[in-house]
Amino acid sequence: MKVLDAAMHQPKAGGASFSAGNRLFRVGWTIAWLLLARWTPPPLHRWRRLVLQSFGARVGESARVHASVRIWYPPNLTLGAGTLIGPGARLYNQGLITIGAGTIVSQRAHLCASSHDIADPSFQLVVRPIVVGEGCWIAAEAFVGPGVSVGDGAVVAARAALFEDALPCGVYRGNPAAWIKERVVRPAPLSAS
């Protein structure tokens, strides 16, 4: 997906940042999600996976995406197996967003894979991918900015704003988010046999 030249298309004056074909696709996607998925009850995750896959998203087995999730462009989305995208989460994926297996993106969290060149008088859109590893937790209302990588097992606390890469198994909180400690996961209890 190519970003249009801001100097030529003048997005600050209402011009487009993406091609007409891209904009038409997104209109179709928005209508399809509204009609086919937005109203569905929570247990229909399999159906919502199918809708996302039909529009080009790569969605792993048993991934769960709630009906109130907002996804800007499905072809720029990869969700690993067992991933959970919670109610009201926003995946503003003008750039690629990849979320690893077993990761939880909680309610109203926001992942934004684009920004603007603030030195450019035309305010050129810049897309930068987000990669969230496996077994992570992006907590309620947290923000993950463009170009950020979140290491496996990392936690971004509620309402944190992460603009730098997160180390594996690091716990981050605040705005801007800062490392506060290492996440240590207890072993699973042994089952009684």
Side-chain angles (χ1 to χ4, degrees), residues 135-178:
C136 297
W137 180 26
I138 310 300
E141 297 183 355
F143 178 86
V144 177
V148 170
S149 289
V150 179
D152 292 347
V155 174
V156 181
R159 295 211 166 171
L162 186 66
F163 298 100
E164 304 280 331
D165 291 350
L167 296 171
C169 291
V171 178
Y172 293 80
R173 73 174 178 202
N175 183 359

Side-chain angles (χ1 to χ4, degrees), residues 92-116:
Y92 194 52
N93 58 340
Q94 291 179 323
L96 299 173
I97 293 180
T98 303
I99 300 173
T103 286
I104 297 169
V105 177
S106 288
Q107 62 272 23
R108 295 179 306 282
H110 190 137
L111 281 64
C112 178
S114 60
S115 186
H116 293 273

Side-chain angles (χ1 to χ4, degrees), residues 17-182:
S17 292
F18 294 96
S19 70
N22 175 276
R23 295 190 315 270
L24 187 59
F25 176 91
R26 287 186 288 114
V27 167
W29 157 246
T30 300
I31 291 169
W33 188 255
L34 179 67
L35 295 176
L36 299 173
R38 179 82 173 147
W39 57 270
T40 57
L44 291 183
H45 294 292
R46 184 177 296 170
W47 171 250
R48 289 187 293 275
R49 277 197 311 269
L50 179 63
V51 173
L52 279 165
Q53 290 167 335
S54 297
F55 279 83
R58 289 155 304 285
V59 183
E61 188 62 33
S62 72
R64 296 177 294 152
V65 176
H66 281 264
S68 57
V69 168
R70 304 271 311 260
I71 297 166
W72 194 80
Y73 188 68
N76 279 352
L77 181 62
T78 300
L79 300 176
T83 298
L84 169 63
I85 310 298
R90 294 182 69 117
L91 305 180
Y92 194 52
N93 58 340
Q94 291 179 323
L96 299 173
I97 293 180
T98 303
I99 300 173
T103 286
I104 297 169
V105 177
S106 288
Q107 62 272 23
R108 295 179 306 282
H110 190 137
L111 281 64
C112 178
S114 60
S115 186
H116 293 273
D117 180 351
I118 61 171
D120 182 351
S122 299
F123 211 47
Q124 179 65 48
L125 180 69
V126 178
V127 297
R128 296 178 52 215
I130 293 173
V131 177
V132 179
E134 296 185 0
C136 297
W137 180 26
I138 310 300
E141 297 183 355
F143 178 86
V144 177
V148 170
S149 289
V150 179
D152 292 347
V155 174
V156 181
R159 295 211 166 171
L162 186 66
F163 298 100
E164 304 280 331
D165 291 350
L167 296 171
C169 291
V171 178
Y172 293 80
R173 73 174 178 202
N175 183 359
W179 184 92
I180 59 166
K181 65 181 180 178
E182 183 176 347

